[in-house]
């Protein structure tokens, strides 16, 4: 039994031990593989059924052996792993193995097209000879049967040396070599894009090596161009590539700005690009003078108006220097405005002019709006607001706003005060005080609207009895009568004066003075013939009018009296008059009694003598 058969039996035991009888979802084409040293080989792996890959990992291993004690694959060389912490890759394979299969998450779903778990090993070495297996570790563990790889010696190894860095217009020589024993000649590819200045056929510089040499005059555009070398048999994997390094002064410089419409306080990025070898260093200049940045990308996080201007960048390396096209930065911003006026205090009737002064704006405003006390003033959308004849109602807080393509901004409030003479003057007293009793106090208030406040109040009263006006001037707005007299009954008028003007008189306020009956007088004849006619008259002064009664007092019993007559309601106020034909029964004393809300009074007695025939 050969070693390969023994190894296969061992892996069958492994699969049996770790897959719990489930079908193997991974299969390798186990036919022996043969490859040439320096070439590449694909190890094909097929996923034959659905596999749960959550929390799983997998790897490829060379010459893996099963450790029964640890129940794991050990003593092998890991050439590819999806979990480097669990299964690190050998340094000898780290840069030579590439996974070319399907993405492992796709193994978790069914598909009519089989999934792949294949790898590609390149730059093969003779030490790569061995057995290669695929190992999956998840809820279920699997390991494939190994495939044998044999690497044969390459009869045509290629040497293609990368030339040192050269300057533009220098000549560079490319040399590709192989062994003299190789039946094929080395060929340099990718020359169609250049015009070689010199091309040499394969040369035999020594007994063991034959080579092909090409000389080229390079330009700066040739930097980074790749060339390949392979033998005539053109094994697609046995090929060597080199690239040219051409050093040249900076070229194709370009300066660009991130946005065209630049708004103040917004972010702006300037980018400078240029080709050059070595890579150029960049410097930004403002207005061609001030250095403001030393990187290709200059970011202004919050641009200000002061940063406007022309910007250029300069690219420099050891080969030379070049300057970019200018980039012009124009910073736009909303208007900043304030309300201005020749005066904040304007006299009534004068002209008021307000200006919405633009302190700064780019572009200039296209619209203005005025408001007073928070309310928009319609049809006032010009920069200037004019009131030809100002009135007190025009006092208030004025604002203006200005708009441009960036936005709208409002001014602070500007207070306009209108000076005017007293107006809408009125006298106020309590409604109950319009009828006031003698001896009481009474205060009149002269109310008016004025700016500035009045400095003088003039009081006038009209006495309807005397038909005369009396005047008084005060500094205060009130007129106080400490002790009301009958003479104070009148109609009162006030006006106010400030340094602007004297206002119109108020409407009159009339008061009535209440007082008890006084000046009570009883008049009558003292002797009347029996049967004759007598008229008794009683008058009094009082307010409100008194109720008058006439009484007769008995001579025989002075303590008794009888009501003879009461003033009718429709009679003349404060007057009683009674006429009658006398009899002997009317002989005696008579009095008149007056009563109102303020008091009462009785007249002196008058005697009546009735003469008989």
């Amino acid at each position: 039994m050969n070693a390969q058969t023994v190894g296969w039996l061992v892996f069958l035991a492994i699969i049996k031990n770790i897959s719990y009888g489930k079908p193997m979802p991974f299969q390798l084409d186990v036919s022996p593989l043969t490859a040439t040293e320096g070439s590449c080989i694909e190890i094909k792996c097929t996923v034959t059924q659905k596999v749960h890959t959550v929390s799983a990992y997998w790897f490829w291993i060379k010459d893996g052996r099963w450790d029964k004690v640890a129940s794991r694959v050990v003593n092998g060389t890991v050439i590819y792993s999806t979990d480097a912490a669990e299964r690190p890759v050998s340094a000898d394979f780290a840069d030579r193995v590439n996974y070319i299969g399907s993405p492992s998450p796709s193994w978790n779903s069914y598909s009519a097209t089989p999934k792949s778990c294949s790898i590609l090993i390149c730059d093969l070495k003779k030490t790569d000879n061995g057995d290669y297996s695929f190992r999956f570790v998840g809820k279920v563990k699997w390991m494939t049967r190994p495939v044998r790889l044999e690497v044969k010696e390459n009869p045509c190894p290629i040497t293609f040396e990368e030339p040192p860095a050269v300057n533009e217009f220098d000549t560079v020589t490319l040399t590709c070599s192989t062994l003299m024993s190789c039946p094929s000649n080395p060929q340099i590819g990718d020359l169609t894009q250049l015009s070689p200045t010199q091309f040499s056929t394969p040369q035999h510089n020594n007994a063991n090596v034959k080579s092909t040499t090409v000389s080229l005059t390079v330009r700066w555009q040739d930097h980074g161009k790749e060339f390949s070398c392979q033998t005539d048999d053109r094994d697609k994997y046995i090929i060597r590539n080199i690239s040219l390094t051409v050093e040249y002064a900076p070229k194709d410089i370009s300066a660009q700005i991130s946005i065209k419409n630049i708004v103040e306080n917004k972010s702006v990025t300037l980018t400078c690009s240029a080709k050059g070898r070595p890579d150029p260093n960049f410097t930004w200049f403002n207005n061609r003078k001030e250095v403001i940045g030393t990187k290709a990308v200059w970011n202004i996080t919050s641009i200000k108006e002061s940063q406007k201007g022309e910007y250029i960048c300069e690219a420099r390396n050891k080969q030379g220097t070049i300057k970019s096209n200018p980039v012009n930065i124009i910073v736009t911003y909303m208007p900043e405005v304030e309300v201005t006026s020749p005066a904040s205090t304007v006299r009534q009737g004068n002209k008021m002019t307000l200006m919405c002064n633009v302190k700064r704006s780019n572009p200039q405003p296209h619209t203005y709006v005025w408001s007073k006390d928070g309310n928009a003033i319609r049809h006032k959308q010009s920069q200037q607001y004019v009131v030809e004849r100002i009135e007190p109602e025009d006092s208030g807080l004025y604002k203006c706003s200005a708009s441009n393509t960036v936005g709208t901004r409002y001014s602070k409030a500007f207070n306009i005060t209108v000076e005017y003479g007293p107006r809408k003057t009125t006298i106020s007293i309590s409604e109950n005080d319009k009828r006031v009793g003698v001896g009481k106090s009474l205060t009149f208030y002269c109310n008016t609207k004025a700016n500035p406040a009045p400095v003088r109040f003039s009081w006038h009263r009209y006495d309807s009895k005397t038909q005369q006006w009396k005047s008084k001037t005060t500094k205060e707005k009130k007129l106080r009568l400490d002790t009301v007299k009958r003479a104070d009954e009148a109609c009162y008028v006030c006006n106010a004066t400030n340094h602007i003007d004297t206002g119109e008189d108020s409407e009159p306020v009339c008061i009535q003075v209440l007082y008890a009956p006084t000046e009570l007088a009883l008049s009558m004849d003292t002797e009347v013939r029996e049967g004759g006619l007598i008229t008794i008259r009683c008058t009094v002064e009082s307010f409100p009018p008194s109720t008058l009664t006439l009484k007769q007092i008995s001579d025989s019993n002075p303590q008794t009296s009888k009501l003879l007559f009461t003033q009718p309601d429709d009679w003349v106020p404060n007057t009683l008059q009674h006429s009658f034909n006398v009899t002997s029964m009317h002989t005696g004393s008579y009095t008149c009694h007056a009563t109102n809300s303020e008091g009462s009074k009785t007249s002196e007695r008058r005697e009546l003598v009735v003469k008989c025939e």
Side-chain angles (χ1 to χ4, degrees):
M1 185 179 295
N2 59 27
Q4 184 173 3
T5 303
V6 172
W8 168 235
L9 293 175
V10 171
F11 276 102
L12 285 177
I14 294 172
I15 295 170
K16 182 178 180 181
N17 289 338
I18 63 178
S19 64
Y20 307 101
K22 295 183 178 181
M24 168 69 72
F26 304 100
Q27 291 184 0
L28 301 186
D29 182 353
V30 295
S31 301
L33 299 174
T34 302
T36 304
E37 185 180 14
S39 184
C40 299
I41 190 71
E42 177 183 350
I43 303 180
K44 295 182 178 180
C45 173
T46 304
V47 184
T48 61
Q49 58 184 319
K50 182 178 178 181
V51 179
H52 294 283
T53 59
V54 178
S55 301
Y57 70 94
W58 49 271
F59 58 91
W60 284 84
I61 191 168
K62 173 179 176 284
D63 297 331
R65 294 294 180 267
W66 182 255
D67 186 335
K68 294 183 179 179
V69 178
S71 296
R72 61 178 294 174
V73 178
V74 293
N75 299 327
T77 302
V78 176
I79 68 169
Y80 186 86
S81 174
T82 61
D83 190 341
E86 186 69 27
R87 284 292 189 172
V89 175
S90 169
D92 190 41
F93 286 89
D95 298 325
R96 298 193 296 122
V97 181
N98 293 304
Y99 177 72
I100 59 174
S102 309
S104 58
S106 69
W107 301 348
N108 197 33
S109 60
Y110 293 102
S111 174
T113 303
K115 305 292 193 306
S116 170
C117 47
S118 305
I119 58 171
L120 182 70
I121 307 174
C122 288
D123 195 15
L124 289 169
K125 305 173 184 178
K126 296 189 71 174
T127 56
D128 294 338
N129 290 336
D131 297 321
Y132 291 83
S133 304
F134 175 83
R135 169 71 165 164
F136 181 88
V137 181
K139 290 184 178 181
V140 182
K141 303 176 183 179
W142 285 286
M143 189 164 179
T144 64
R145 179 182 176 183
V147 61
R148 184 71 181 178
L149 172 64
E150 181 181 356
V151 181
K152 300 185 298 182
E153 183 177 359
N154 184 5
C156 300
I158 294 174
T159 301
F160 196 19
E161 298 180 358
E162 189 163 284
V166 295
N167 294 331
E168 186 176 18
F169 305 121
D170 284 355
T171 299
V172 64
T173 299
L174 306 179
T175 301
C176 180
S177 304
T178 189
L179 296 177
M180 183 66 71
S181 59
C182 177
S184 302
N185 292 320
Q187 301 290 326
I188 298 177
D190 300 316
L191 292 174
T192 56
Q193 52 191 320
L194 296 174
S195 299
T197 58
Q198 180 183 355
F199 181 85
S200 64
T201 56
Q203 299 185 12
H204 310 286
N205 296 326
N206 58 56
N208 297 322
V209 176
K210 57 182 177 180
S211 61
T212 297
T213 302
V214 175
S215 296
L216 307 167
T217 300
V218 297
R219 298 174 301 166
W220 69 270
Q221 293 92 339
D222 298 327
H223 173 71
K225 285 188 176 177
E226 292 189 349
F227 299 89
S228 63
C229 179
Q230 62 185 147
T231 55
D232 291 340
D233 55 10
R234 297 188 181 278
D235 184 331
K236 67 176 182 178
Y237 291 124
I238 303 178
I239 187 169
R240 296 292 179 267
N241 297 305
I242 60 97
S243 62
L244 294 182
T245 299
V246 181
E247 293 189 347
Y248 56 94
K251 301 179 185 298
D252 290 352
I253 190 168
S254 174
Q256 295 181 336
I257 193 166
S258 58
I259 53 176
K260 292 183 178 180
N261 297 323
I262 303 171
V263 178
E264 189 175 35
N265 298 323
K266 297 296 183 180
S267 175
V268 177
T269 300
L270 293 173
T271 303
C272 189
S273 61
K275 297 177 181 178
R277 183 71 185 181
D279 290 337
N281 296 318
F282 296 94
T283 304
W284 283 96
F285 296 89
N286 182 10
N287 296 322
R288 302 179 183 271
K289 296 178 181 179
E290 181 184 3
V291 177
I292 47 85
T294 56
K295 293 183 179 180
V297 178
W298 180 49
N299 184 48
I300 308 173
T301 56
S302 180
I303 195 164
K304 306 299 179 186
E305 181 191 13
S306 58
Q307 293 173 297
K308 67 182 179 180
E310 188 178 84
Y311 290 78
I312 62 169
C313 75
E314 180 183 87
R316 176 190 298 269
N317 64 11
K318 67 180 183 180
Q319 299 291 334
T321 302
I322 190 173
K323 294 185 183 297
S324 74
N325 56 292
V327 174
N328 192 30
I329 288 184
I330 300 174
V331 181
T332 61
Y333 41 86
M334 291 187 291
E336 289 185 13
V337 293
E338 62 180 356
V339 178
T340 59
S341 176
S344 60
T345 300
V346 186
R347 195 163 183 169
Q348 181 181 13
N350 288 352
K351 182 177 181 180
M352 178 188 75
T353 301
L354 301 180
M355 176 65 72
C356 191
N357 181 46
V358 181
K359 299 166 65 176
R360 59 191 295 266
S361 178
N362 190 24
Q364 287 301 304
H366 54 69
T367 302
Y368 297 89
V369 175
W370 289 90
S371 66
K372 175 181 176 291
D373 298 330
N375 300 312
I377 302 174
R378 294 184 178 181
H379 312 301
K380 297 296 181 182
Q381 295 187 350
S382 61
Q383 187 175 4
Q384 192 177 64
Y385 177 44
V386 177
V387 176
E388 293 294 340
R389 180 178 175 82
I390 198 166
E391 297 296 338
E393 291 76 15
D394 294 319
S395 294
L397 297 175
Y398 288 82
K399 287 184 179 181
C400 73
S401 68
S403 304
N404 63 8
T405 56
V406 180
T408 300
R409 185 168 288 169
Y410 293 83
S411 70
K412 293 181 179 179
F414 187 85
N415 188 30
I416 287 291
T417 301
V418 178
E419 289 187 336
Y420 55 94
R423 63 185 198 136
K424 298 182 179 179
T425 304
T426 60
I427 293 178
S428 64
I429 60 172
S430 170
E431 188 65 30
N432 294 332
D433 288 339
K434 290 185 178 180
R435 293 164 64 98
V436 60
V438 170
K440 296 184 178 180
S441 64
L442 176 62
T443 302
F444 297 88
Y445 292 92
C446 189
N447 303 310
T448 190
K449 293 184 177 180
N451 186 30
V455 295
R456 185 174 68 253
F457 295 87
S458 297
W459 295 89
H460 311 274
R461 75 177 189 179
Y462 177 74
D463 189 335
S464 60
K465 294 180 181 179
T466 63
Q467 303 289 305
Q468 291 183 348
W469 285 94
K470 293 184 178 180
S471 300
K472 183 178 182 179
T473 300
T474 62
K475 292 182 179 180
E476 296 181 345
K477 62 181 292 185
K478 62 183 180 179
L479 174 65
R480 180 176 176 80
L481 305 179
D482 293 322
T483 303
V484 174
K485 302 178 178 61
R486 288 180 59 186
D488 293 327
E489 182 173 306
C491 291
Y492 290 78
V493 174
C494 78
N495 61 41
T497 302
N498 63 8
H499 77 265
I500 303 295
D501 196 7
T502 296
E504 295 180 351
D505 290 345
S506 69
E507 291 293 324
V509 171
C510 301
I511 65 169
Q512 294 175 311
V513 177
L514 307 179
Y515 56 96
T518 184
E519 304 294 330
L520 180 57
L522 176 62
S523 61
M524 57 182 288
D525 292 336
T526 57
E527 291 185 2
V528 180
R529 189 177 298 275
E530 187 177 13
L533 180 67
I534 187 173
T535 297
I536 302 176
R537 181 181 177 85
C538 182
T539 61
V540 69
E541 291 184 17
S542 70
F543 189 80
S546 297
T547 299
L548 297 173
T549 57
L550 181 63
K551 294 182 180 181
Q552 181 183 4
I553 301 172
S554 173
D555 288 340
S556 60
N557 187 4
Q559 301 301 319
T560 63
S561 63
K562 67 176 182 178
L563 179 63
L564 187 64
F565 183 75
T566 299
Q567 174 191 6
D569 291 338
D570 58 352
W571 204 253
V572 178
N574 286 338
T575 300
L576 180 149
Q577 185 170 308
H578 181 50
S579 299
F580 59 93
N581 294 109
V582 299
T583 65
S584 60
M585 295 295 294
H586 291 120
T587 299
S589 300
Y590 290 83
T591 62
C592 182
H593 187 77
T595 302
N596 68 2
S597 60
E598 306 302 305
S600 61
K601 189 176 181 65
T602 301
S603 68
E604 294 181 353
R605 294 183 181 186
R606 298 292 301 273
E607 297 291 334
L608 175 61
V609 177
V610 180
K611 293 183 176 182
C612 297
E613 291 290 346

